[in-house]
Structures are given as C-alpha cells and as structure tokens.
Amino acid sequence: MTAYQQLQDATQEARHWLLTTPIVNRALAGNVTREEYLAFLGQAYHHVRFTVPLMMACGARLPDHLNWLRTALVEYIEEENGHEQWILDDIRAAGGNADAAAAATPDPATRLMVAWIRDTVEHGNPVAFFGMVQVLEGTSTALATQAAERLQASLSLPDSAVRYLTSHGSLDIGHLAFFEEQINRLGTEDLAVVIDSANMFYRLYGAMFRGIEARCAGHSAAEELSHALA
C-alpha cells in the first residue's frame, strides 16, 4: 500500500465527519442562503490569507532529510499567492462588504484552525503543514466545482462571485496529483505526522462549517462553538 493510500485510509472517519456537515450537503444541493455563502467566504478569507506565510514558515523549518519538499512548496506558493484577494472580490460581487469581512474577528473554529497549524509548523514537525493540504485541496476537488454551480444557480450569482470555488475545484485536481507524489516519498515517521495533522484539520475545518451554520441560524457565540465542536 502506498503512503498516500495509507493517508486516505487513516483519515477516512474524520473526512466523513467533514463531508457530512449539514451546510456542506445543503450547498451541494443549492440550498444555502446568501448570508451563509458570504459567511463562508469571510471565514475562508481568514484562513486562506495565512496559507502562503505558513508555506514559507514550513519551508524554513524543514529538516535536512525533507529538503526535497521545498521544491513542492515553491510551486504551491506560486499557485496560492493572492488567493485571499479573490475571496474579497467574490464577497463584493455577491453583494457583501469585503472591507468589513476582512476586518472582522474570525469565528472560533477558524481561529483554532490557523493557530493549531501555525503552532505545529513552528514548534513541532513542519511536515504537518501537508496535513492541511490534504484536507483543503482534497475537499476542494470533491466539492468546490459542484457547490459553485449549485450556489450560482440558486442565488443568481454572477461568475465573478464564485471565482474562489470554481478556480479551486479545477486547480486543486492537478495539485492533488502532485501532492500524492510528494506523500509517497515520505518515511514512516513523517507520514504519521501528516496523518495526525490531517485528522485534526478535518475536525477543525468541519467545525468551521458547523459554526457558520449555527451563527447564521441566530445561535449565540457559546451555542455556535458548541455546535461547531459537537
């Protein structure tokens, strides 16, 4: 069994928890409100804006035996740089206030997600960053394009309001194939770190979606966090 298949198998339960999030299923059915879509974009902005800095931190801290991974990180940085601005453009095109979204305090699960991966990269094994890649890019290839099409149709959105989702649905298919190649080169100990990271990130990313749904339903901050981490 390849290392990538081991990663897929070891994260199956956590991945299922994310993919069965009610708001995700409703998005795939074209059954979310404009408020919920804008809330998703707002949270996406607050984690995507850290992607390139995290990649740079990861590259700077990789041990000698993982030097070859820096080449992959350079390619990722070139592809991901500036994507947070796409999200702000989507917010404007969807009728939201991009400046307010950028200035807002992120939801609890989003803050935990960014803080956890930053701390792990800076103080643990930086290869954990690739657990985040597994979650975000794997989820994008599975959901983004279909969700964008359904949301655009149900909310009557222009193409300019779903750029982040549509671009990542197609872009991340190529990324994921490249990612698989890198994972298959990892040794046992580093693979275990990526698996642990991906399992944590699936939970936190799923919590982010559950928190969005709770907040848009009018729950209090305490109730929102309770729903997110349930």
Side-chain angles (χ1 to χ4, degrees), residues 73-224:
L73 286 166
V74 168
E75 294 194 27
Y76 281 130
I77 288 170
E78 290 177 351
E79 291 283 0
E80 296 295 328
N81 192 37
H83 286 197
E84 70 276 10
Q85 295 303 318
W86 294 6
I87 297 171
L88 295 180
D89 290 343
D90 282 354
I91 291 173
R92 294 186 187 97
N97 186 327
D99 292 335
T105 299
D107 287 351
T110 309
R111 295 168 68 182
L112 286 171
M113 191 164 64
V114 173
W116 183 83
I117 193 65
R118 180 197 286 130
D119 181 73
T120 305
V121 166
E122 292 181 354
H123 301 293
N125 186 334
V127 79
F129 173 81
F130 289 88
M132 185 182 84
V133 176
Q134 156 78 1
V135 174
L136 296 182
E137 296 201 346
T139 304
S140 290
T141 57
L143 305 175
T145 300
Q146 182 180 348
E149 292 173 352
R150 300 291 172 82
L151 288 170
Q152 187 171 9
S154 65
L155 299 176
S156 300
L157 297 172
D159 291 345
S160 57
V162 291
R163 184 184 180 194
Y164 173 67
L165 285 177
T166 54
S167 64
H168 276 256
S170 55
L171 182 65
D172 287 343
I173 292 174
H175 278 186
L176 208 56
F178 180 64
F179 172 74
E180 181 176 349
E181 293 177 8
Q182 312 314 307
I183 293 300
N184 282 334
R185 295 180 63 182
L186 293 178
T188 302
E189 291 185 8
D190 290 317
L191 176 61
V193 170
V194 174
I195 289 171
D196 178 70
S197 174
N199 275 321
M200 177 65 81
F201 221 83
Y202 275 122
R203 292 289 301 184
L204 292 174
Y205 198 42
M208 186 196 82
F209 282 108
R210 284 168 166 81
I212 289 170
E213 187 167 39
R215 176 158 55 87
C216 290
H219 294 292
S220 68
E223 290 173 322
E224 174 192 335

Side-chain angles (χ1 to χ4, degrees), residues 12-21 202-203 206-207 210 228 230:
Q12 183 176 2
E13 182 178 347
R15 182 166 56 252
H16 177 75
W17 189 81
L18 166 62
L19 296 178
T20 54
T21 302
Y202 275 122
R203 292 289 301 184
R210 284 168 166 81

